């Protein structure tokens, strides 16, 4: 097993400082940020020095993560829940297609599929399927909510119309209540 990366050995508060510093500097000034991190490590009494390559890799990972979140947020903010469900279906198809291509490539080259790659692909499919299932449940819940609200609005409209008609016809409050309960099934 490879040794742990130096950035994994630094305290959490310094890792947070590093992430904030990189974000504040627009993921640039890697040399200055690395010097600042190493100075803070020395101040903390840690005999550890982090190289600019490690900080640069960390910066790139943070930037990629930030961009991925921004893209996802933009995509999902413009979508209703049905469109989001469709996006999950498309992603599932893309992953399945990639899996088939990967398996075909392995067969053509008469190689063995790396178990780690296969496990990663399986996990990705499982997670996406689970996510898709949650989206389908949210979609069903949303449809049920919309239908319930439509029923309640129609019921309120019928009740108002019944009351207006009963008032015009001179019906008593008792007769109006009987009509609500018996004929329309409305709550009183």
């Amino acid at each position: 097993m490879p040794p742990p990366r130096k950035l994994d050995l630094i305290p959490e508060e310094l890792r947070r400082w590093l992430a904030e510093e990189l974000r504040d500097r627009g993921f640039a000034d890697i040399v200055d940020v690395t010097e600042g991190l190493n100075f803070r490590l020395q101040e903390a009494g840690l005999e550890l020095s982090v190289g600019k390559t490690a900080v640069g890799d960390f910066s790139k990972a943070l930037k990629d993560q930030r961009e991925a979140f921004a893209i996802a947020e933009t995509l999902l903010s413009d979508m209703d829940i049905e469109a989001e469900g469709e996006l999950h279906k498309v992603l599932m198809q893309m992953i399945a297609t990639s899996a088939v291509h990967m398996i075909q490539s392995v067969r053509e080259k008469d190689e063995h599929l790396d178990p780690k790659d296969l496990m990663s692909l399986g996990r990705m499919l499982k997670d996406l399927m689970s996510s898709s299932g949650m989206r389908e449940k949210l979609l069903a819940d949303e449809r049920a909510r919309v239908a319930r609200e439509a029923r309640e609005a129609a019921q309120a409209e019928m009740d108002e119309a019944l009351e207006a008609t009963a008032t015009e016809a001179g019906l008593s409050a008792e007769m109006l209540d009987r009509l609500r309960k018996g004929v329309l099934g409305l709550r009183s």
Side-chain angles (χ1 to χ4, degrees):
M1 181 157 50
R5 297 177 307 167
K6 287 186 179 180
L7 281 176
D8 293 337
L9 299 174
I10 67 172
E12 183 62 33
E13 63 272 4
L14 285 177
R15 197 170 314 146
R16 275 195 301 271
W17 173 86
L18 176 61
E20 289 172 11
E21 191 69 18
L22 287 167
R23 270 188 232 111
D24 291 347
R25 294 180 183 225
F27 305 100
D29 299 331
I30 301 299
V31 173
D32 289 343
V33 173
T34 303
E35 288 173 3
L37 175 62
N38 286 325
F39 177 75
R40 288 175 183 271
L41 287 169
Q42 284 178 350
E43 276 188 333
L46 298 171
E47 294 183 22
L48 185 65
S49 177
V50 178
K52 64 182 178 225
T53 302
V55 173
D57 291 345
F58 186 70
S59 174
K60 184 181 179 334
L62 281 176
K63 185 177 179 185
D64 291 347
Q65 183 182 41
R66 181 178 175 183
E67 288 173 358
F69 281 133
I71 290 169
E73 189 176 83
T74 301
L75 272 175
L76 296 179
S77 69
D78 294 341
M79 292 184 185
D80 61 3
I81 198 151
E82 285 187 43
E84 210 173 314
E86 288 301 314
L87 178 64
H88 274 78
K89 287 178 187 175
V90 169
L91 287 172
M92 193 66 163
Q93 290 170 349
M94 289 171 62
I95 290 172
T97 302
S98 296
V100 169
H101 288 306
M102 186 173 74
I103 291 169
Q104 285 174 340
S105 175
V106 167
R107 278 190 197 153
E108 289 170 3
K109 295 177 184 175
D110 197 32
E111 296 176 352
H112 294 289
L113 192 59
D114 183 13
K116 287 182 182 178
D117 291 341
L118 190 57
M119 188 174 73
S120 295
L121 183 65
R123 267 198 193 125
M124 191 170 23
L125 283 168
K126 178 184 161 263
D127 291 347
L128 191 58
M129 288 170 64
S130 173
S131 176
S132 182
M134 286 187 278
R135 294 286 173 220
E136 291 299 321
K137 183 183 178 328
L138 286 172
L139 181 58
D141 290 349
E142 179 68 9
R143 285 181 183 146
R145 183 191 64 78
V146 168
R148 184 184 69 250
E149 287 177 358
R151 276 193 313 275
E152 289 171 356
Q155 218 171 22
E157 193 175 305
M158 282 190 292
D159 190 36
E160 288 175 18
L162 178 64
E163 192 167 331
T165 304
T167 302
E168 287 175 18
L171 294 177
S172 67
E174 182 181 302
M175 188 58 139
L176 176 60
D177 192 44
R178 285 180 65 194
L179 283 173
R180 279 189 183 121
K181 289 179 183 175
V183 177
L184 297 176
L186 295 174
R187 292 179 226 121
S188 54

